Amino acid sequence: MKKLIAIALGTVASIAISASLANAETFKIGLSNGWVGSEWRTQMIDEAKAAAEKWKEKGVDVEVSVQSANVDVPGQIAHVRNFIAEGVNAIIVNPNSPTAFDPIFAQAKEAGILVIATDAEVSSPDATYVGIDQTAWGAAGAKWLAETLGGKGKVVAINGVAGHPANEMRVAGYKQVFKDYPDIQVVNEVNANWDQAQGQQAMQNILATYPDVNGVVVQDGMAAGAWKSIMDAGKTGQIAATGEIRKDFIDLWSKDKLNSGATVNPPGVMASALNVAVLMLQGKELKEPATAGQYKNAMYLPIPFIDSKNLADAAKQVDGKPGYYSYTSALSIEDAEALFK
Amino acid sequence: MTPTTTETLSSHAGGLKLWLERYPFLPALIIVVALLALNGAFSPNSLGYRSLTGLLSTYMALIMLAIAQTYVVSAGDIDLSAGATLSLVNVAIVVLMEKWGGGAGAVVGAMLLGVLLGLVCGVINGIVVAALRLQAIVATFATSIFFTGVALYVMPVAGTPAPALFWRTYGGRLLGLPFVFYVLAALALLLFLLSRTRLVTQLLAVGDDQQAAYQTGLPVVLIRIKGYALCGLFSALAAFCLTGDTASGDPLVGGKMTLYSVAAVVLGGSALAGGWTTVVGSLLGALTIGLVNSLVFFMGTPSEWQNFVQGLAILFVLMAGVLAGRRARA
């Protein structure tokens, strides 16, 4: 017990010393992730941590503390409460619900904490969203498909989870685009719940029902499965379909010369959000205030796109990484600085 | 060994047993106090007035749900649809409050209907399990899918905000004290009154030995249905707390909470087999889950290990509690 106390005292002392030695700017940022079901989320957090390290070169000490676990909505609210108790300067959340955080974000703001949501938009007026516009994400894939097909043909859509906000926005995005191409005919839309196996099965059913289909709009997380069905049916050369940004798919794409294009939802969004947060903590002001989106609190990041033209570059970026690694991009500190006055 | 020492030993053990019999939640209480101390050691702020109030207002929903679960567990049953009932009441009251304009009348009206809805869900479960004699664990799993379906029909996408009056009251203060303290006081009173009713004793009798209860002339089927109704009622109360803390409707919000509620019951010192339960223990069990989650973070566990450590810690607490409880009942 005595030993334990000694260790505890030692730690306290060393923390106190390191705090007093830090003459540079020091910011404490809490990262909360409420779902650990995919490698994408793990990569998101790793990139954000790396981005925080980079600030050291600028003489800014960014200390991140991470809460990442499978939790229900109250559990993630508790994440935010813990951060408030810890006295962080900013909180960056990949939220489990678009609306449930309104009251707790209000409390965080009251406590003088900057709140940023990333990857999924939140309705709270006390938070800023830094991430991609999911509607534009859906539109980009559809635009690539329409142009690849020369503006005409039969198209099917394989969507994610019905009722999920991001899915609804992506669907609205491709619908908007196809309106401008009167000769593109959307013959069917199915839900495959962002699941590779369900995507594969949905594509099998589609190929059986519509043997003359020309194009497929399929979201990431299901596209590899859908492509497997296309390849199994021997239709690789005849069908154009959207793809994935994971390394294993990019490899397959390069090897088999698939006619594919992938809108990138980069795991680097949290790193971008972190860079924006640090600049905001330094008291800088955005050139254009974040007022986009349905909740009027969004700052949208550019959305990269991979197609046959830049596939080789993308393959180079993910070269040597494990198969689950996703192609990524993030605002560098300089990129972020350019957005501020 | 002299007879005197044996005597003192046995009387000592007997004393502990007596204490545990009278206050079966004692091990859970000790665990909660220990966890609070540990949280405080790693992050002094976490024991602040504000943080503790926050902990209570966030975990009040799980506390209510754990208490709901306790009443069916008393009779040797289980309710895997408690979380789905919570979701259904959550979306129903949010939609109704919005439809009726969000005023005080709308809030009270929606809450009354919410209680009724919770009771109906409970009675449906009771009939399916006790009257139709389906296995509780599977039957309530099936009704949970059914209730979730209804909730998705009422509100297809998470998002409708609850009226400000509702969540500002829940998260705010009344006469200088956080509102959630009044909720806790009201809950304590309700639990005290319930503990004096014949129903709770009857539930425990059924859970202890259903055959014996039947032979002594107790209406076993009716008692079990009443237990489920009580569970539905407290699930509805849980939904009110959750709505107060999240200020919105979400048709899937309670799904993950069901198993946590069962875990809280066991962590609190109740026996899942029935006949030996403690509502106060379940309250403490729910807090234990919340405190473990916070502790894992305050200890500075690396993010990739947080799920692992959290599971391990709950398992550890469970073992400590069960060992203490078994000793008392032995």
Side-chain angles (χ1 to χ4, degrees), chain A residues 66-68 71 81 85 99-100 163, chain B residues 45 54 58 157 159 245 248 256 306:
Chain A
V66 184
Q67 290 186 90
S68 175
V71 283
R81 287 197 195 284
T99 48
Chain B
N45 269 347
T58 297
V157 194
D245 206 46
S248 65
K256 276 189 181 172
Q306 285 176 2

Side-chain angles (χ1 to χ4, degrees), chain B residues 34-256:
Chain B
L35 282 170
L36 274 173
L38 279 171
N39 267 304
F42 284 104
S43 169
N45 269 347
S46 71
L47 290 191
Y49 181 59
R50 216 190 142 99
S51 298
L52 289 179
T53 314
L55 177 83
L56 204 56
S57 75
T58 297
Y59 282 94
M60 195 48 103
L62 186 60
I63 288 174
M64 294 280 190
L65 207 63
I67 288 168
Q69 196 68 254
T70 314
Y71 286 117
V72 282
V73 167
S74 298
D77 289 317
I78 198 159
D79 185 1
L80 292 190
S81 73
T85 307
L86 181 153
S87 304
L88 179 56
V89 173
N90 164 248
V91 294
I93 62 170
V94 167
V95 166
L96 285 176
M97 285 178 196
E98 203 205 17
K99 210 169 244 175
W100 292 340
V107 168
V108 174
M111 284 172 75
L112 284 176
L113 271 178
V115 166
L116 202 65
L117 186 60
L119 281 171
V120 169
C121 288
V123 170
I124 290 175
N125 278 329
I127 290 172
V128 171
V129 173
L132 301 181
R133 302 193 177 204
L134 298 179
Q135 286 288 331
I137 194 162
V138 182
T140 56
F141 176 63
T143 54
S144 82
I145 299 172
F146 172 72
F147 295 151
T148 307
V150 180
L152 277 166
Y153 171 77
V154 174
M155 189 187 286
V157 194
T160 311
L165 172 73
F166 186 80
W167 65 266
R168 282 202 191 282
T169 307
Y170 181 79
R173 283 160 178 276
L174 191 67
L175 304 174
L177 275 177
F179 185 77
V180 63
F181 285 7
Y182 295 95
V183 176
L184 190 65
L187 175 67
L189 182 69
L190 185 60
L191 291 181
F192 175 71
L193 291 178
L194 272 172
S195 73
R196 319 209 76 180
T197 60
R198 206 177 294 160
L199 177 60
V200 169
T201 323
Q202 289 174 337
L203 282 170
L204 288 169
V206 170
D208 202 29
D209 189 341
Q210 202 169 321
Q211 195 66 33
Y214 178 75
Q215 280 166 349
T216 48
L218 286 176
V220 170
V221 173
L222 191 66
I223 290 169
R224 287 170 75 194
I225 294 178
K226 281 185 188 164
Y228 273 105
L230 210 51
C231 176
L233 170 76
F234 274 92
S235 302
L237 298 182
F240 297 162
C241 297
L242 184 103
T243 313
D245 206 46
T246 63
S248 65
D250 184 342
L252 305 174
V253 71
K256 276 189 181 172

